[in-house]
Amino acid sequence: MNVRTLSPLDRLLVGLERALETVAGNPEAARPSPSAGIDEAELDDTERRHAAGLMRINHTGEVCAQALYDGQAALARSEANREHLLHAAAEETDHLAWCAERLKELDSRPSLLNPLWYAGSYAIGAVAALAGDPVSLGFVVETERQVEAHLEEHLQTLPEQDQRSRAVLARMQEDEVRHAENAKERGGIELPFPIPGLMQLSSMVMKKVAYRI
């Protein structure tokens, strides 16, 4: 059976569809939420707002991860690397769905600026891909390291009794560590100064804004 090769236009249309699904759709997880079976905790208004703010940051982070992987996959030099990036993006879709579900449970919503975060991250992913697969994979390594660190921070600052949110973030953290290790094993390089610092600075801005908006 012949397998049709996607043209650049096909890939553009698929990319637009994925962008709409990520930003405005209702993503479905392939894996059950880690919070399944855990009772909802009693949270006061302050605790609920704080937990929602943290989950909104993580939801936005997953929007950015989808965009980064989509941008990298669209211009990946090798088909093997493209497939690797798309597989990782599929797991990030689980994270996106889990965070969206948790936001609803906390009577909150995603960031209103998610279209902007998606566009910026997609552009970064595309530029990284143009620099070659080792640099592109290096971006994955550095991104996942920074995500792992902020997930650890959130696990420390979540209301102690909010075990449903905690279970989601702990599973996400495990996946991010694995994504970083896989990208490094496939040839991801250490990004030169000052790229990691700039990535961290942009992440700090995103977190401060997404917590509230």
Side-chain angles (χ1 to χ4, degrees):
M1 181 177 66
N2 292 329
V3 178
R4 182 186 174 209
T5 301
L6 295 181
S7 69
L9 178 58
D10 290 331
R11 288 179 179 170
L12 175 61
L13 294 175
V14 170
L16 289 174
E17 182 180 8
R18 283 181 55 81
L20 289 172
E21 289 176 351
T22 299
V23 173
N26 186 26
E28 294 185 5
R31 296 175 290 172
S33 172
S35 66
I38 300 175
D39 292 336
E40 187 66 73
E42 290 290 334
L43 301 172
D44 62 31
D45 288 344
T46 299
E47 290 170 333
R48 184 173 294 276
R49 282 195 300 271
H50 179 57
L54 295 182
M55 294 309 296
R56 184 159 44 252
I57 289 171
N58 289 300
H59 183 273
T60 295
E62 296 307 322
V63 168
C64 293
Q66 286 288 317
L68 186 68
Y69 281 127
D70 288 347
Q72 290 173 293
L75 297 177
R77 300 290 180 88
S78 72
E79 189 61 32
N81 191 39
R82 188 193 316 280
E83 290 301 320
H84 168 75
L85 291 164
L86 292 176
H87 177 74
E91 290 196 343
E92 299 288 354
T93 300
D94 287 351
H95 300 175
L96 188 67
W98 297 342
C99 289
E101 178 183 49
R102 189 66 190 130
L103 279 170
K104 289 180 181 178
E105 293 170 351
L106 293 166
D107 299 321
S108 193
R109 52 154 181 79
S111 171
L112 298 176
L113 299 179
N114 276 346
L116 177 63
W117 305 128
Y118 186 97
S121 296
Y122 187 97
I124 291 171
V127 169
L130 287 174
D133 286 349
V135 173
S136 182
L137 291 167
F139 262 91
V140 174
V141 174
E142 183 61 32
T143 298
E144 301 295 21
R145 283 176 180 170
Q146 294 190 16
V147 171
E148 178 196 354
H150 95 240
L151 287 171
E152 181 61 34
E153 177 186 336
H154 288 186
L155 285 167
Q156 298 300 321
T157 60
L158 270 171
E160 184 176 354
Q161 67 273 35
D162 186 5
Q163 293 300 315
R164 287 181 66 84
S165 296
R166 196 174 296 279
V168 169
L169 298 191
R171 177 67 61 80
M172 287 169 56
Q173 189 178 44
E174 292 175 6
D175 288 346
E176 308 300 7
V177 170
R178 179 163 43 81
H179 291 167
E181 291 174 348
N182 289 344
K184 188 173 182 179
E185 288 173 359
R186 293 183 67 87
I189 63 172
E190 291 288 334
L191 298 181
F193 174 86
I195 294 175
L198 292 174
M199 292 171 66
Q200 189 170 26
L201 179 61
S202 65
S203 176
M204 288 174 58
V205 172
M206 181 275 285
K207 288 189 286 186
K208 287 184 179 297
V209 175
Y211 183 85
R212 294 177 174 81
I213 302 175

